[in-house]
Amino acid sequence: MDLLQKALVLKNAAAWSREFNITPGALSHAIKQGRLSPVLAGNFAIELGEEPEPWMAIAAMEAEKESELLARLKSRVKAWRRL
């Protein structure tokens, strides 16, 4: 959601919806759920001049239910997020 907050500083949700050719409801749903799909995260990253892959991975992890395996991945995020 950090990525979405950065994006919303530049443009409002309606403008992003038009740019990405998605319904305003899709973005509204992401905001309500507190997470982006990996596809949206990657596209926001591109538009913000950032590498999309780490943001796509973060979005995918945010969509997962809590588990030991997810906790293990999250413990490594700081190591690969710097790349």
Side-chain angles (χ1 to χ4, degrees), residues 34-52:
R35 61 180 177 242
L36 292 171
S37 72
V39 170
L40 276 177
N43 279 283
F44 277 126
I46 290 168
E47 292 299 318
L48 296 172
E50 299 193 26
E51 291 296 321

Side-chain angles (χ1 to χ4, degrees), residues 8-30:
L8 291 174
V9 168
L10 295 178
K11 298 179 189 178
N12 65 30
W16 284 115
S17 296
R18 284 190 300 276
E19 185 164 330
F20 290 157
N21 196 28
I22 59 174
T23 65
L27 212 45
S28 175
H29 182 71

Side-chain angles (χ1 to χ4, degrees), residues 52-70:
E53 292 85 358
W55 289 107
M56 292 169 65
I58 291 167
M61 287 174 39
E62 287 177 347
E64 290 292 322
K65 293 180 183 176
E66 289 297 322
S67 69
E68 284 185 37
L69 293 175
L70 181 59

Side-chain angles (χ1 to χ4, degrees), residues 63-80:
E64 290 292 322
K65 293 180 183 176
E66 289 297 322
S67 69
E68 284 185 37
L69 293 175
L70 181 59
R72 182 178 181 216
L73 287 173
K74 284 182 177 180
S75 72
R76 298 282 302 153
V77 167
K78 291 178 183 164
W80 55 262

